[in-house]
Amino acid sequence: PPPPPPASSPACPLLASYLLPLPPPPPAAQFRVVGPGHPVTAIVGENIVLPCHLSPRMSAENMEVRWFRSEFTSVVHQYHEGKDQYGQQMPDYRGRTELLKAGIMDGNVSLQILNIRLSDEGQYNCFVQDGPFYEEALMELKIAGLGSAPLISVESHQDGGIRVVCQSAGWYPEPKVLWRDLSGQELPSLSEAKSLGDSGLFETENSIIIKEHSNQNLSCWIRNTFLNQEKESTVYIADSFFPRVNRWMVALIVILLVLFGFIGLTVYLFKIKGKRHFGKLTNFLLINEKGKNKILHWAKQGKPGPALHSNVTLDPDTAHPDLVLSEDQKSVSWGDTQQRLPDNPERFDSWPCVLGCEGFTSGRHCWEVEVGDGRYWAVGVARESARRKGGISLSPEGGIWAVERDWQGQFRALSSPVTPLPRRRVPSRIRVCLDCDRGQVTFIDAGDEAPIFTFPPGSVPGERIRPWLWVGGSRLRLCP
């Protein structure tokens, strides 16, 4: 019989398995990181995607993806261990970045940046690491600002013509401004001023002198040469606006002035003699002078002019509980504590707003609001059907046409999109002019009569329109 197997035989395979070397770990993936190869352009206030992907295409789900600026630790966005990491993210980018993970299985590691700012301009690194192996791509982001539509205003008579001014804000880099006539021919400017606003974007003001019977149709044309885009506004100057010297009119004015001087002297003499009454003047001459403009109006006593200066009061049934109205309902301020008021359907419950009691459906109406040096506020009009409950849209789409000074001190019109207003100082008193027949709202600095902003004709719908105020940490007062 064959000899029995050695006693140690059953343990040999197990021992051999311990002596064999372990298999090596899988090697790190080899790839290239590919960027756009050209500068990426973004517009201030909009969103942008910085493209980046792996080549060859492979999954980056288990890799580290890091977007950073000039230094590795200047983290714009980081993705690691299958999720976003925000511990090292720079404060300026918090809440504004998103790694587009929809294509991460195919090696797409593009980054979206929201609400682009001027400070976002510069170089970005797309860094991807798998184990010990890593690659990166460098790209450049350029920022541009497409500003507001030009605001054209007629300022004054000058040099035998009319001085017309074109203003706009929110441009970057410095824009090019041109005046053109109806045929597209360039017109020479009288003056041009450009400056950087608080946001770092350019504001521009350009003026021109227009003579009668020549170039009365003209447009202000502002171009962003980097984006190769422009905005344009057109105006027509009627013959009646141009200054004229009429000998008969001059003679009539002289006679009237002499006549009124005589009446004034007679009244004075009667007062000296103790007379209590001296008739009643039924006509008067109103002279309003601004710059070199002189506008003469004859009017019957008590007869309204072209625009009715409305006696506006505030409606307490619409006021937010945080707002306190004066007894005469002419002023409103922010209260220290919220009042217990009935939650009726007319009352604003989320935004500190209040409407005027008066509503207008036809004609032209004006009123003035004293904003003083309030920190933040908004002044304008709202349609009767504007939303009162919950979040409201401060825009024409939400039924509101207004100008505001926001939380950051920016002065702007609440158009769509918002229009920065190129003013060196915020007015302390604003005149609101509502033309219901044309569907138009105009805002004027009541201090120097300078135009602020006009919502174009047809903007305001044909329904009941009421004065509207938004009060934040300030006091607003309706002026007589």
Side-chain angles (χ1 to χ4, degrees), residues 3 45 174 185 216 238 314 320 358 444 447:
E174 185 175 327
Q185 185 70 27
Q216 290 177 229
L314 300 175
H320 185 276
E358 295 72 22
I444 298 171

Side-chain angles (χ1 to χ4, degrees), residues 47-178:
N47 304 335
I48 189 65
V49 173
L50 300 180
C52 185
H53 68 272
L54 304 184
S55 179
R57 297 284 185 173
M58 63 180 67
S59 174
E61 187 177 19
N62 296 318
M63 300 181 185
E64 178 183 357
V65 180
R66 179 185 292 237
W67 284 86
F68 63 93
R69 296 294 300 266
S70 57
E71 299 179 2
F72 190 75
T73 55
S74 303
V75 177
V76 177
H77 193 95
Q78 184 181 14
Y79 171 87
H80 187 46
E81 296 179 348
K83 60 182 179 180
D84 297 311
Q85 307 286 342
Y86 297 103
Q88 301 181 51
Q89 188 179 40
M90 289 191 293
D92 286 350
Y93 291 93
R94 287 175 185 167
R96 298 176 52 230
T97 61
E98 179 186 4
L99 190 70
L100 302 181
K101 303 183 185 67
I104 198 169
M105 300 296 291
D106 297 323
N108 188 347
V109 291
S110 300
L111 180 72
Q112 179 174 241
I113 303 178
L114 308 177
N115 190 21
I116 286 294
R117 304 171 181 173
L118 199 59
S119 59
D120 295 334
E121 188 170 61
Q123 291 186 337
Y124 288 77
N125 287 270
C126 176
F127 172 91
V128 183
Q129 182 172 3
D130 182 28
F133 182 81
Y134 64 88
E135 281 287 341
E136 63 182 305
L138 182 66
M139 64 195 73
E140 185 175 6
L141 176 63
K142 289 188 174 295
I143 306 298
L146 192 61
S148 60
L151 175 63
I152 300 178
S153 57
V154 177
E155 292 289 316
S156 61
H157 291 156
Q158 184 173 336
D159 300 333
I162 292 178
R163 182 174 180 264
V164 182
V165 176
C166 175
Q167 297 174 313
S168 184
W171 295 88
Y172 189 84
E174 185 175 327
K176 182 178 181 181
V177 184
L178 292 176

